[in-house]
């Protein structure tokens, strides 16, 4: 075998890439991991708060601790990892992949039979939010604030407003407060919060930081540096209600308005993207629509727990190691409109689907819902949920092999709502 | 009747605490730890802190740290002042103690990353 030739190349060295590389190696594959940053660990390097690892390690760990444990596993197996190496392009040639990467040593091309894309997600930025006014400095994402505070040790704000109630924003509200900054409030345009309930409690309520639902920022003030923002109430259609605007003086506006899977490389390969998850459409082995290309972690769909990312990535890594070119026999997994999304979106009936993990989110807050799996109109599985909330991802393990599916089967997930829709406070 | 949310694990169960009968009745918890959390929330709410501490090494300006045990919620900012008064001057590793028994609260401030050993 040529020195630049591998069975599996994993792109991205966050928790997803690390777990995928380790499990591919354990399944006997020759693996290379490529990461563009200087250090492995992905976004967890800057997530210094705890809450990671309860499922995977049975311990409450901080992000760096969790990532470092995963890095230790990689090192124990002597899996080569190229850092400060950016994958720019991937070509598919006669069923194999040529991965072009740039590093300080120049450009290199690596060849592989299977690819795992573990490129994580990125934050929505100010460009994707409509706000009137100039563009003074002092407007940045929660992840940028996290980078400054936790890696560089520089407090990016003294008195700030947070727009959006995503988890990173909530976590940064607490973090900045601990370091002595004043967080005037978290403003959320939707009538329900985007972040996990526990983060509302432990990050906002514990520190008396107010949360304003159905409110948004409509204007920013200041020439070079931000001096204030205008806050207004919004109606059901998320449009500002006239006459409700008021000015709040602050030196920073921190955005926590959502995450999007990072899939430039996948798109370059012609991978089909699911408009609901914004990540690749995949099967029970995490294989995308392009044979031999696997996707996992936040590149596949935005998870709220690193533990789930590792679990999903380990499955992808193993499947990539075991990948052989055989024809596919796809069966769609349909989900009713009460689901925000459901992953995987299809199954490959030529492979075993005996222990398939299904991840989903509900579209709205539902109380007392019954999830029903039916095949050709016949109920084959059901599960009750006291409540379902979009911010809280659910997972199910199902044995699809027992259902005798064919390519023509109508496999359908529905949510029956007994309690009706309910908006959380 | 009080309502709160258990923050012990990511499940985040909604707890109802009824004190009317003299005995605490907790409902909504999916496991035992939820009851313990509810009792402690009423009698002695405790939290942990995750933060950073300054270092003397320019390539790693701050090192992530956390507490080894929970402390009374009301003492969070006192402990933050202690942590922010420290500068780490040796290459400590993950799990090493930065401040022993901070403010005699029964918790150590420990390093939560190997950064200083990794980046030399
Ligand atoms: C700012 C931020 C804060 C977050 N906070 C939390 C949190 O507190 N708790 C939590 O559970 N989850 C959090 N998340 C979600 C978090 O991303 C996941 O839990 C987990 O880290 C996802 O793992 P991952 O490996 O899929 O992605 P990441 O950790 O993002 O890793 C992806 C890696 O791929 C690399 N990469 C991307 N493109 C290329 C390329 N072309 N070439 C080479 N390398 C590349 C990146 O540099 C990165 O290291 C946060 C996400 C963000 C963006
Ligand atoms: S009650 Fe148990 S399951 Fe529910 S959040 Fe607390 S620790 Fe988790």
């Amino acid at each position: 075998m040529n020195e630049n030739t591998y069975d599996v190349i994993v792109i991205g060295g966050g928790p997803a890439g690390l777990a995928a590389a380790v499990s591919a190696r354990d399944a006997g594959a020759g693996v290379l991991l490529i990461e563009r940053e200087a250090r492995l660990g992905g976004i967890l390097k800057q997530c210094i708060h705890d809450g990671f690892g309860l499922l995977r390690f049975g311990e409450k760990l901080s992000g760096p601790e969790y990532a470092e444990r995963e890095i230790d596993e990689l090192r124990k197996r002597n899996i080569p990892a190229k850092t400060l190496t950016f994958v720019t392009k991937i070509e598919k040639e006669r069923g194999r992949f040529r991965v072009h990467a740039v590093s300080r040593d120049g450009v290199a091309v690596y060849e592989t039979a299977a690819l795992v894309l573990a490129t994580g997600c990125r934050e929505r930025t100010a460009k994707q939010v409509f706000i009137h006014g100039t563009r003074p400095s002092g407007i940045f994402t929660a992840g940028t604030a996290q980078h400054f505070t936790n890696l560089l040790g520089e407090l990016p704000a003294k008195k700030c407003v947070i727009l959006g109630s995503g988890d990173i924003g909530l976590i940064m509200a607490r973090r900045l407060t601990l370091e002595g900054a004043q967080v005037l409030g978290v403003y959320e345009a939707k009538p329900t919060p985007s972040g996990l309930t526990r983060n509302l409690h432990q990050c906002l309520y514990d520190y008396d930081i107010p949360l304003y639902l159905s409110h948004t920022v409509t204007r920013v003030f200041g020439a070079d540096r931000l001096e204030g923002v205008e806050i207004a109430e919004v109606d059901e259609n998320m449009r500002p209600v006239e006459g409700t605007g008021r000015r709040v003086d602050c030196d920073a506006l921190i955005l926590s308005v959502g995450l999007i899977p990072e899939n430039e490389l996948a798109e370059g390969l012609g991978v089909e993207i699911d408009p609901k998850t914004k990540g690749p459409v995949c099967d029970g082995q995490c294989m995308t629509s392009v044979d031999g290309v696997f996707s996992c972690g936040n590149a596949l769909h935005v998870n709220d727990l690193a533990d789930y990312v590792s679990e999903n990535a380990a499955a992808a890594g193993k499947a990539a190691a075991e990948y052989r070119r055989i024809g596919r026999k796809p069966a769609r997994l349909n989900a009713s409109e009460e689901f925000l999304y459901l992953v995987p979106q299809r199954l490959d009936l030529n492979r075993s689907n005996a222990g398939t993990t299904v991840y989903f989110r509900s579209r709205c807050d539902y109380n007392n819902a019954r999830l029903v799996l039916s095949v050709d109109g016949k109920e084959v599985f059901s599960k009750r949920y006291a409540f379902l909330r979009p911010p809280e991802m659910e997972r199910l393990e199902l044995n699809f092999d027992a259902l005798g599916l064919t390519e023509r089967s109508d496999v359908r997930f529905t949510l029956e709502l007994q309690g009706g829709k309910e908006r959380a406070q | 009747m009080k309502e709160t949310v258990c923050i012990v694990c990511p499940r985040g169960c909604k707890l109802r605490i009824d004190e009317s009968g003299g005995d605490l009745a907790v409902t909504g918890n999916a496991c035992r730890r939820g009851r313990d959390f509810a009792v402690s929330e009423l009698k002695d709410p405790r939290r942990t802190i995750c933060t950073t501490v300054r270092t003397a090494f320019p390539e790693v300006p701050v090192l992530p740290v956390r507490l080894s045990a929970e402390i009374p919620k009301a003492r969070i900012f006192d402990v933050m002042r202690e942590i922010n008064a420290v500068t780490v001057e040796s290459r400590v590793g993950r799990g090493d103690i930065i401040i022993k028994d901070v403010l005699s609260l029964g918790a150590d401030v420990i390093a939560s990353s190997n950064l200083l050993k990794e980046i030399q």
Side-chain angles (χ1 to χ4, degrees), chain A residues 39 48 50 54 60 62 64-65 68 72 75 150-153 175 177-179 197-198 201 206-207, chain B residues 5 7-10 47-48 50-52 54 61-62 66 73 76-77 80 84 94 112-115 118:
Chain A
R39 283 196 296 133
I48 62 159
D50 71 357
L54 270 173
K60 225 182 203 179
S62 68
E65 286 171 303
E68 288 173 19
D72 291 345
R75 291 192 178 148
N150 295 344
L151 294 181
L152 306 180
R175 181 76 189 106
T177 305
L178 278 178
E179 291 295 355
T197 313
R198 66 195 297 257
H201 281 258
D206 269 2
Y207 294 88
Chain B
V5 165
I7 59 170
V8 176
C9 92
R47 293 290 183 272
T48 188
C50 295
T51 179
T52 55
R54 300 221 156 262
V62 285
R66 66 176 171 93
K73 199 168 150 183
I76 288 174
F77 285 96
M80 277 302 291
N84 281 344
R94 196 162 84 220
S112 69
S113 167
N114 261 342
L115 256 187
E118 291 279 330

Side-chain angles (χ1 to χ4, degrees), chain A residues 281-301:
Chain A
V281 170
C282 73
D283 62 21
Q285 284 68 39
C286 301
M287 186 146 84
T288 66
S289 63
V290 176
D291 280 349
V293 178
F294 296 77
S295 169
C296 60
N298 277 2
L300 178 57
H301 65 112

Side-chain angles (χ1 to χ4, degrees), chain A residues 192-315:
Chain A
T192 52
S194 311
L196 298 174
T197 313
R198 66 195 297 257
N199 282 339
L200 297 174
H201 281 258
Q202 62 181 352
C203 298
L204 299 188
Y205 307 158
D206 269 2
Y207 294 88
D208 298 320
I209 301 166
L211 169 66
Y212 302 91
L213 297 172
S214 300
H215 277 76
T216 193
V217 170
T218 43
R219 197 173 191 87
V220 296
F221 304 102
D224 298 330
R225 177 80 202 185
L226 185 75
E227 287 164 7
V229 296
E230 183 188 68
I231 306 278
E233 275 176 44
V234 295
D235 61 21
E236 311 83 75
N237 303 319
M238 309 265 258
R239 271 196 291 267
V241 179
E242 225 167 300
T244 60
R246 68 188 165 89
R247 181 175 162 141
V248 175
D249 288 336
C250 57
D251 67 356
L253 170 63
I254 296 176
L255 305 170
S256 181
V257 288
L259 301 168
I260 320 171
E262 174 71 72
N263 276 302
E264 252 174 72
L265 292 173
E267 281 166 33
L269 278 162
V271 163
E272 181 187 346
I273 301 290
D274 179 347
K276 292 183 185 160
T277 56
K278 314 261 189 307
V281 170
C282 73
D283 62 21
Q285 284 68 39
C286 301
M287 186 146 84
T288 66
S289 63
V290 176
D291 280 349
V293 178
F294 296 77
S295 169
C296 60
N298 277 2
L300 178 57
H301 65 112
V302 175
N303 288 256
D304 34 59
L305 278 183
D307 299 60
Y308 290 144
V309 164
S310 301
E311 171 193 66
N312 164 248

Side-chain angles (χ1 to χ4, degrees), chain A residues 54 198, chain B residues 5-15 28-35 37:
Chain A
L54 270 173
R198 66 195 297 257
Chain B
V5 165
C6 177
I7 59 170
V8 176
C9 92
R11 192 156 163 174
C13 297
K14 270 191 204 151
L15 307 178
N29 52 315
C31 81
R32 248 217 80 86
R33 290 176 298 172
R35 197 197 136 76
F37 175 79

Side-chain angles (χ1 to χ4, degrees), chain A residues 12 14-16 35-36 42-43 47 49 52 87 118-120 146 168 298 304 306:
Chain A
E35 165 59 50
R36 66 180 167 201
I43 208 75
C47 301
H49 55 278
F52 301 89
V87 174
T119 47
Q146 196 174 44
I168 312 167
N298 277 2
D304 34 59

